[in-house]
Amino acid sequence: MIEEFKPADYRIGIGTDIHRVVEGRKLMLGGVYIPYPAGLLGHSDGDVVLHAVVDALLGAAGMGDVGALFPDTDIQWKDADSKTFLYIVKEQLDNKQWEVVNVDLTIHAEAPKLGPLKGQIRRCIAGLLGMDFQAVNVKAKTNEGLGEIGAGEAMAATAIALLRKKPRRTL
Ligand code: MG
């Protein structure tokens, strides 16, 4: 059996998202609950990291964006666990014979300190995508006190994902 890949079988996508920090919400980042006195405002659970990852995957596959698939006007997604979004998108990628090669992402947040939590977030996303955790990289940085993120009023995320068509089997 020979596995054949052509350059056109690879696609790359980018996703970005930003959410407002508010009191009275659980902080969910990358599918992981983060103990913190505030959370992110959103129709769903506000998981800015998973939203960026979903957009990167959808972008790579040419399948639109998170807002089109899971509109904030749909009561079905009110307070939804964003892990569901990633799970559904992964299923759609499988159906279209796409496999995820790797995901890289950066979380932009002034607080809390995310260093100790990056491994957990990495494992959660890798688990949801059925990938080796080494194929998912998580970086975190502050905004050096600048702008809304620097003031702790918002958190943002940027993600990039590479897909490839599942190999065709030839004799
Ligand atoms: Mg969002």
Side-chain angles (χ1 to χ4, degrees):
M1 187 190 77
I2 301 167
E3 292 184 350
E4 286 186 350
F5 295 101
K6 293 187 297 185
D9 289 341
Y10 288 82
R11 299 281 174 84
I12 195 166
I14 190 169
T16 67
D17 198 18
I18 185 166
H19 281 248
R20 188 181 294 272
V21 174
V22 291
E23 287 180 6
R25 298 267 299 179
K26 274 171 52 173
L27 178 60
M28 298 296 298
L29 293 175
V32 175
Y33 168 65
I34 314 279
Y36 189 63
L40 296 177
L41 189 63
H43 183 67
S44 65
D45 63 2
D47 192 327
V48 70
V49 177
L50 291 188
H51 296 179
V53 171
V54 164
D55 262 357
L57 294 169
L58 291 173
M63 286 164 47
D65 62 41
V66 67
L69 244 70
F70 311 105
D72 62 9
T73 49
D74 189 338
I75 190 73
Q76 185 184 175
W77 309 121
K78 178 89 181 88
D79 297 323
D81 182 341
S82 295
K83 291 194 279 292
T84 308
F85 299 165
L86 192 55
Y87 183 77
I88 291 171
V89 167
K90 172 66 165 65
E91 268 193 342
Q92 295 187 358
L93 294 174
D94 285 343
N95 291 340
K96 292 180 183 290
Q97 307 303 309
W98 287 116
E99 62 184 11
V100 187
V101 178
N102 76 303
V103 172
D104 183 26
L105 65 93
T106 302
I107 304 168
H108 311 270
E110 207 66 17
K113 283 268 173 272
L114 294 172
L117 299 161
K118 286 191 288 190
Q120 218 180 320
I121 293 171
R122 196 177 177 190
R123 280 182 171 77
C124 179
I125 293 171
L128 289 165
L129 292 173
M131 299 164 70
D132 189 299
F133 87 101
Q134 293 189 10
V136 177
N137 192 62
V138 176
K139 307 183 295 301
K141 60 200 301 174
T142 71
N143 222 37
E144 300 286 339
L146 295 166
E148 293 88 350
I149 293 170
E153 294 166 6
M155 294 184 195
T158 309
I160 192 164
L162 184 67
L163 304 180
R164 80 174 167 197
K165 278 284 179 188
K166 289 178 182 166
R168 289 178 294 274
R169 294 181 173 188
T170 56
L171 293 174

